[in-house]
Structure formats: C-alpha cells, structure tokens
C-alpha cells in the first residue's frame, strides 16, 4: 500500500514538473514531425507525431525564403517566419527562423518573443537595433542596449525582452534570425496594448501611460498593422 502511494506521488510530481516546464523540451527521439490527424499518432507537447514510416524529406523542407517579404505597409517591414506551423519537421526540436525585410526607414516595431532568444544576422543594409532589460530595482530605469548593424553583423536579443530593428539606411535591408523555439510567439507591444479586441478599458491605459485620456482614445482608434506572416 505504501509503495503504491509512493508510486502515485512520484507520477503526480513528474506530471506537475512537465506542466511547469515552459521551455521547448529536449527531443527524446530523432524527430517528431508534427501531424494534424491524431489517428495512429503519438501525442507529444501539443503536436501529434507523424508515423515515422510515413515521414519523408519534404517534412523537413521549406522553400521560398529567397523571396522578399512585402514591405509596402505602414511599418515598411515584413517578417517571414518558418516555424512548426509551416515546417512541421521542427516539432520538438526547439528551433526556428525568420527572414525580415525592411524598406528604407522600415521598422520591425518593439516586440517580444515569449518563448525564444533571437540571433539576427544582417545580410544587406544598415539597421539600428536594440533591446530593453526587464524591470530593475525601484528607483532605476530599464536599461537599453543598442547597436548599429552593417552587412555581416550579428546581434542577440535575449528571450522575452522587448526589442526592435530599424532600417536607418537609404536602401532595403535583409536580415535572417534564428529563434530558440519551434514556436517563438510574438507580442507586438503597440498592437497588444492599443489594438486588442476588445479594447483594454481606456482608464487602465490612461493611468498606466500617465497621459490625457484623449491620447489613449487616439491610439486605440488607430489601425495597428501586424508585420508577421503568422
Ligand atoms: Mn524579434
């Protein structure tokens, strides 16, 4: 009886720790190509695994990142992400990537990836990039780190921190970014705060941003363009 209780306790603790682990897990097999149909499939961390006998090279393949994203939009930038949503072979592997195109003065606006660190390589153009640290001790300000990047430069944006990339050159810019999650997620600050559906109560934002409520009404009435493909 005591042994059974011990085993049940261990099982519950194992389950609890797996729920509490928010990072992408280390793979327990060579691959686990994501599969939408649960029939005859194994369930692992939110996505079903395709039967390995049915897996082929195309499950690990994506074509098209040679094509520039359409930057003809209010931000002048476009993120073309390749993650588990459009490359199912990434399932459980803890990695993904994105191509980011910038028109002259195009901006990838302040945003965070809740589940990934980003390492960015600039192929063409000139970018002013930066990230802001999380809240410091009372009385101190959130520290900003910035850098001007030229072709061939690499910059890291640590997981979860607010960051941006701004094309300060007179020509287009092209960057590629690796992200340490199969599904990094993106929270674009302005879109989430001022463009939510339904809107956040303006009293909340008026107090939070310490401005006149007309400023908040104006911001909430704007169209907040989403420059991510998914
Ligand atoms: Mn990013």
């Amino acid at each position: 009886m005591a042994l059974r209780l011990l085993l049940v306790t261990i099982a519950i603790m194992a389950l609890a720790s797996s729920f509490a682990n928010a990072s992408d897990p280390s793979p327990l097999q060579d691959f686990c190509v994501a599969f939408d149909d649960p029939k005859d499939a194994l369930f692992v961390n939110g996505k079903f695994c395709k039967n390995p006998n049915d897996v082929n090279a195309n499950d690990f393949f994506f074509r098209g990142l040679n094509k520039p994203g359409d930057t003809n939009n209010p931000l002048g930038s476009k993120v073309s992400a390749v993650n588990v949503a459009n490359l199912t072979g990434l399932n459980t592997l803890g990695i993904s990537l994105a191509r980011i195109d910038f028109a002259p003065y195009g901006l990838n606006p302040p945003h965070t990836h809740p589940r990934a660190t980003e390492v960015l390589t600039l192929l063409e153009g000139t970018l002013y990039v930066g990230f802001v640290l999380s809240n410091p001790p009372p009385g101190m300000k959130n520290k900003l780190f910035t850098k001007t990047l030229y072709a061939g430069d690499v910059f890291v944006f640590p997981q979860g921190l607010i960051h941006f990339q701004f094309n300060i050159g007179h020509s287009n810019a092209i960057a590629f970014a690796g992200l340490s999650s199969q599904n990094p997620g993106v929270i674009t600050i302005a879109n989430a705060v001022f463009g939510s559906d339904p809107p956040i109560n303006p009293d909340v934002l008026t107090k939070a941003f310490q401005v006149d409520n007309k400023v908040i009404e104006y911001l909430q009435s704007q169209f907040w363009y989403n420059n991510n493909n998914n």
Side-chain angles (χ1 to χ4, degrees), residues 11 40 65 84 97 109 111 114 125 142-143 168 172 210 213 225:
D40 304 323
L65 273 197
V84 73
L97 87 159
H111 65 277
N142 298 64
K143 190 166 184 178
I168 56 172
N172 292 341
Q210 302 274 298
N213 63 351
Y225 179 77

Side-chain angles (χ1 to χ4, degrees), residues 8-65:
V8 168
T9 306
I10 289 169
I12 289 170
M13 284 170 68
L15 264 177
S17 68
S18 69
F19 287 136
N21 182 359
S23 297
D24 288 24
S26 298
L28 301 174
Q29 60 285 308
D30 284 351
F31 55 76
C32 171
V33 175
F35 193 55
D36 287 334
D37 187 350
K39 270 197 291 133
D40 304 323
L42 297 168
F43 180 80
V44 178
N45 191 33
K47 295 279 183 190
F48 296 102
C49 297
K50 194 173 182 178
N51 187 326
N53 294 329
D54 298 334
V55 167
N56 60 60
N58 284 331
D59 292 314
F60 303 98
F61 175 73
F62 179 94
R63 175 171 279 161
L65 273 197

Side-chain angles (χ1 to χ4, degrees), residues 108 111 113 118 163 165 179:
N108 192 15
H111 65 277
H113 305 290
E118 172 176 346
H163 60 281
Q165 296 120 11
L179 294 127

